[in-house]
Amino acid sequence: MPILVEACPGYRLITLNRPERLNALTVEMADALSAALDAAAADRGCRAVVLTGAGRGFCAGQDLTAIQGMTSAEIAALLDHYNPLIRKLRALPMPVVCAVNGVAAGAGANLALACDIVLAAQSATFVQAFARIGLIPDCGGTWILPRLVGPARARALAMLAEPVPAETAAQWGMIWQAVADDRLMDEAHALAGRLASGPTEGLALIKRALDAAAANDFDHQLDLERDLQAEASATPDHAEAVRAFLAKRPPSFAGRRS
Ligand code: T3D
């Protein structure tokens, strides 16, 4: 089984499961992960996802044993599996927490960075390993990395393929937080539990607004905020939150509409 899926209260834990290869990515794994995201999206009781890796690594990127001897067309065709996966992660109508338990290299690094909130164990590293084997950052790396760390750092990381320790990644804004290794999964579960009891539809609209901002000018983004705010304000969770505020009690969010 290239991935494992565990149901937790209000969310799902998805684990990349090829620990003997540091969870290196294969088409089979990408397709299984894509199907697991579809299943999470279809389950009204699922309001967040945690993604992590089995063993000592998060994901070592493309499985290099699988591409040996492939033609360039066959290698490019791998992205017909990986790109829909990255798009699906970004568009999933719920928050995705990535718990980076060890090295995240190549496509594995960019898979992590495509998630909404990235926690990393202090011993984890992020490596844009592509240049080491004459490739370019894919799985959205050339888009997301400069937006997270700025063009100067993105360029150097892509060209030098040097590992970035989790603490540095957090200081540079590449990820949300670096946490002690033995706290990683507890922190990820706590965060997912908190998000899963949040206003799920509103959180999905935040994802849409932030992703669209990268392509919009300021005027168009203001218009989009107006339109998405109209959607958010029509959710039962918005009404509940206002009622709760006025009644001086904590809100009880229903999450996704059934
Ligand atoms: O269509 C397309 O565009 C192609 C897609 C490309 C996207 C990409 O992701 S390209 C980048 C591919 N990834 C890499 O180049 C990283 C290769 N791995 C490494 O550089 C190192 O393994 C790490 C820095 C990630 C970790 O180093 P270390 O010393 O902690 O572990 P290790 O000993 O190198 O690896 C442990 C085992 O995992 C080892 O197997 P063994 O010797 O114990 O049997 C190693 O061969 C295996 N492994 C690690 N990475 C991969 C891998 N096997 C297959 N593919 C891998 N990517």
Side-chain angles (χ1 to χ4, degrees):
M1 300 266 276
I3 64 159
L4 303 172
V5 181
E6 189 184 328
C8 302
Y11 63 98
R12 291 183 182 198
L13 171 66
I14 302 178
T15 305
L16 307 178
N17 188 38
R18 301 183 68 229
E20 70 289 353
R21 296 243 161 257
L22 300 180
N23 304 312
L25 202 54
T26 59
V27 163
E28 190 195 12
M29 182 191 271
D31 290 350
L33 181 51
S34 236
L37 296 178
D38 284 338
D43 174 2
R44 295 280 139 184
C46 180
R47 294 163 65 182
V49 166
V50 178
L51 179 64
T52 193
R56 72 176 178 89
F58 171 70
C59 175
Q62 169 62 41
D63 187 317
L64 297 178
T65 61
I67 61 168
Q68 204 179 18
M70 276 188 183
T71 64
S72 60
E74 287 167 333
I75 288 182
L78 293 172
L79 295 180
D80 293 339
H81 295 263
Y82 301 167
N83 286 354
L85 167 63
I86 300 294
R87 288 192 180 99
K88 199 166 285 182
L89 265 179
R90 298 297 287 191
L92 203 72
M94 67 189 75
V96 181
V97 174
C98 191
V100 180
N101 52 301
V103 65
N110 294 333
L111 175 66
L113 299 183
C115 296
D116 295 305
I117 301 184
V118 185
L119 298 177
Q122 266 159 357
S123 65
T125 54
F126 294 80
V127 198
Q128 295 291 325
F130 308 87
R132 290 183 187 172
I133 55 169
L135 295 182
I136 69 156
D138 60 13
C139 291
T142 58
W143 189 92
I144 202 161
L145 198 62
R147 284 172 169 81
L148 292 173
V149 301
R153 283 176 172 148
R155 214 163 264 251
L157 291 177
M159 291 186 171
L160 300 174
E162 285 185 3
V164 180
E167 297 272 17
T168 307
Q171 282 160 14
W172 286 359
M174 192 192 296
I175 65 168
W176 171 236
Q177 273 177 357
V179 300
D181 287 20
D182 61 359
R183 293 285 312 147
L184 177 70
M185 291 316 295
D186 285 348
E187 297 282 346
H189 281 290
L191 194 52
R194 177 175 157 191
L195 290 163
S197 58
T200 313
E201 286 183 89
L203 299 179
L205 292 168
I206 289 173
K207 287 181 73 155
R208 274 176 58 191
L210 290 174
D211 270 2
N216 276 343
D217 62 26
F218 189 58
D219 275 345
H220 284 99
Q221 190 65 15
L222 284 176
D223 289 345
L224 180 71
E225 287 177 0
R226 177 201 57 213
D227 296 345
L228 296 184
Q229 198 69 295
E231 284 188 47
S233 64
T235 61
D237 281 343
H238 167 64
E240 159 61 8
V242 174
R243 275 195 307 272
F245 177 80
L246 296 175
K248 300 190 185 302
R249 62 167 173 82
S252 172
F253 292 121
R256 302 163 74 192
R257 264 184 269 232
S258 50

